[in-house]
Amino acid sequence: MVITSSMLRLTWAVIEETSINDLLTLSDTMLIKLLLQQVAQKILLSGEEVCALYSYLGSKVSLIRDIAESRLTQETRLLGSGFIVKQPCLFPSLESAETLGKPA
């Protein structure tokens, strides 16, 4: 498999950035294609990497939808309580991950 750890981090960051509506309502195939397009807009993927990432995403569709449901539940709970609180990102962007090890 040719998926690197940086590709996985980017893929999960893209999933985190994708609207809950898209994550929950698109068909499996359309969701995978959308996520692949979003990743491909950020980095150049070889044909082999596209195939590997397509397979990886296909195996994670249930997990992706579970995470989206959880995000929806959190947002609903927060909005219903009258408080609007920005929840921390589950998968920080690559930029913030790069700065974690740097002194301030």
Side-chain angles (χ1 to χ4, degrees):
M1 187 181 259
V2 294
I3 299 177
T4 64
S5 60
S6 60
M7 270 176 44
L8 284 176
R9 282 192 303 272
L10 176 62
T11 300
W12 285 101
V14 163
I15 292 166
E16 185 70 22
E17 294 167 3
T18 302
S19 79
I20 294 171
N21 186 53
D22 287 343
L23 294 174
L24 293 176
T25 60
L26 292 175
S27 69
D28 291 357
T29 303
M30 292 305 295
L31 176 58
I32 294 167
K33 286 182 180 181
L34 173 67
L35 295 172
L36 272 174
Q37 287 172 345
Q38 291 176 342
V39 170
Q41 288 175 353
K42 296 178 185 285
I43 59 171
L44 181 63
L45 297 172
S46 70
E48 188 179 358
E49 289 169 331
V50 169
C51 290
L53 199 51
Y54 188 94
S55 294
Y56 175 79
L57 288 168
S59 72
K60 301 299 180 196
V61 168
S62 294
L63 175 61
I64 292 167
R65 293 192 196 279
D66 285 347
I67 291 169
E69 285 281 350
S70 175
R71 283 171 46 196
L72 181 61
T73 302
Q74 276 185 324
E75 286 181 13
T76 303
R77 191 175 328 123
L78 290 172
L79 292 174
S81 69
F83 293 102
I84 299 176
V85 179
K86 177 86 172 147
Q87 291 294 310
C89 177
L90 295 176
F91 305 100
S93 68
L94 294 178
E95 295 81 17
S96 62
E98 292 170 358
T99 60
L100 286 177
K102 297 179 183 175

